[in-house]
Amino acid sequence: MQDFLKTDFDISKIVAALRVPAGSGDAVHLNRPSHGLAIHLEGRKIYRFEGCKPIVVQKNDIIYMPKGSNYVVNAERQGECFAINFDFYENKTFEPLVFHTKNSLRFIEAFKRAAKVWQTKQPGYISACKAELYSVLSAMEKEFSSYLSGEKQALISPAVEYIHENYTNESISISEISKMCNITPEYFRSLFKKTFGSSPVKYINELKISRAKELLGSGMYSVSEAAALSGFSDPSHFSREFKKAVGISPARFKENS
């Protein structure tokens, strides 16, 4: 799960965003044509992917279905779900997984908005669907990263909360936020790295890039506006960091969204 949730995806295409009523949908899937995420609002289903252990999906769970996978779905209790099918530029392979949401409402609303804009086909609907998918992926990563031991979470949570509330509008000093936790910057960096798998500086930068991708993917902001709103004061620095992280320039990303 960590490999999937820690990957900085570039969504190349939304194939479909839809509501799947209870009792509908195919039971057998062969060579799935795209990647997919689906959130189940009710019911209980067992997904049997070729070469993998069965995956049980229940209310408010999100399942990831890899492109090219073969699987069978057995519904023990029927229930509707919402799904987003997509492709990304990276040619990467991930195992199927189930994600147990904590704040399920935020995910449900994002999936519903994506399905609605896809159905109405208003101008900008593809970018809007991409933005909703990015928000789902971002929220999944955030929830996954919060699964810390109680002691460590309590120790660094003031700084983590501060980072998420302020990364777009100021330069965050590691020495200053470590004081919020009453620990040294060195120990803070060590705890943060063990918890999130990256340094605080890299984590903050990834937050900024993720926000910039959402803004550019929405189709509503220019490159310079996205840079400023995601916490980069220097557009040139933003372009360099964006290309380093994403593989293409912000302008090309906006053009492809």
Side-chain angles (χ1 to χ4, degrees):
M1 182 180 295
Q2 183 168 347
D3 288 345
F4 178 81
L5 294 177
K6 289 295 184 180
T7 299
D8 188 13
F9 294 118
D10 290 332
I11 307 301
S12 62
K13 180 181 181 182
I14 299 292
V15 177
L18 65 158
R19 171 180 174 266
V20 183
S24 63
D26 297 330
V28 179
H29 298 258
L30 299 176
N31 193 24
R32 182 181 173 86
S34 61
H35 301 277
L37 285 174
I39 188 165
H40 290 68
L41 274 58
E42 295 176 349
R44 174 185 167 92
K45 296 180 180 179
I46 301 177
Y47 286 71
R48 291 184 168 87
F49 289 86
E50 190 176 73
C52 301
K53 293 181 179 180
I55 295 176
V56 178
V57 182
Q58 304 188 75
K59 181 178 180 180
N60 297 332
D61 284 347
I62 295 175
I63 185 169
Y64 163 66
M65 300 154 289
K67 183 176 182 177
S69 58
N70 301 317
Y71 58 99
V72 177
V73 184
N74 299 121
E76 294 185 349
R77 292 196 307 272
Q78 298 288 356
E80 72 171 334
C81 70
F82 284 82
I84 304 176
N85 298 328
F86 59 95
D87 281 321
F88 38 65
Y89 292 107
E90 298 92 340
N91 185 22
K92 296 183 179 180
T93 303
F94 299 96
E95 294 295 319
L97 62 89
V98 62
F99 183 85
H100 307 296
T101 65
K102 292 192 295 184
N103 183 4
S104 59
L105 183 61
R106 68 190 298 184
F107 293 104
I108 292 170
E109 291 303 315
F111 274 93
K112 285 184 175 181
R113 287 193 297 268
K116 182 176 181 180
V117 297
W118 186 267
Q119 180 181 6
T120 57
K121 298 290 190 296
Q122 294 289 340
Y125 74 98
I126 293 177
S127 295
C129 283
K130 283 187 179 182
E132 296 297 346
L133 178 55
Y134 277 126
S135 72
V136 167
L137 292 169
S138 177
M140 289 175 67
E141 182 179 350
K142 181 178 180 180
E143 283 202 0
F144 180 74
S145 296
S146 70
Y147 296 145
L148 318 176
S149 69
E151 183 179 350
K152 290 182 179 179
Q153 184 175 14
L155 191 57
I156 67 173
S157 61
V160 174
E161 183 177 347
Y162 184 86
I163 287 171
H164 281 270
E165 290 179 352
N166 296 279
Y167 73 91
T168 62
N169 53 34
E170 66 176 76
S171 177
I172 296 176
S173 165
I174 303 304
S175 62
E176 289 300 317
I177 60 175
S178 64
K179 291 178 182 177
M180 298 177 184
C181 310
N182 295 315
I183 57 178
T184 66
E186 292 75 21
Y187 186 45
F188 175 78
R189 290 189 181 94
S190 176
L191 275 183
F192 197 98
K193 181 75 178 287
K194 290 177 181 177
T195 301
F196 293 101
S198 67
S199 69
V201 172
K202 183 179 179 182
Y203 184 85
I204 292 168
N205 198 60
E206 287 174 348
L207 286 176
K208 292 181 178 183
I209 296 297
S210 177
R211 178 57 176 159
K213 288 167 66 175
E214 290 180 3
L215 295 170
L216 293 171
S218 74
M220 299 173 61
Y221 301 91
S222 67
V223 171
S224 60
E225 288 172 333
L229 290 172
S230 55
F232 289 93
S233 57
D234 182 355
S236 297
H237 176 63
F238 166 65
S239 294
R240 289 194 300 272
E241 291 297 318
F242 190 97
K243 188 170 184 178
K244 185 192 302 181
V246 180
I248 57 176
S249 69
R252 177 62 62 84
F253 182 88
K254 176 177 172 63
E255 181 182 326
N256 293 340
S257 297

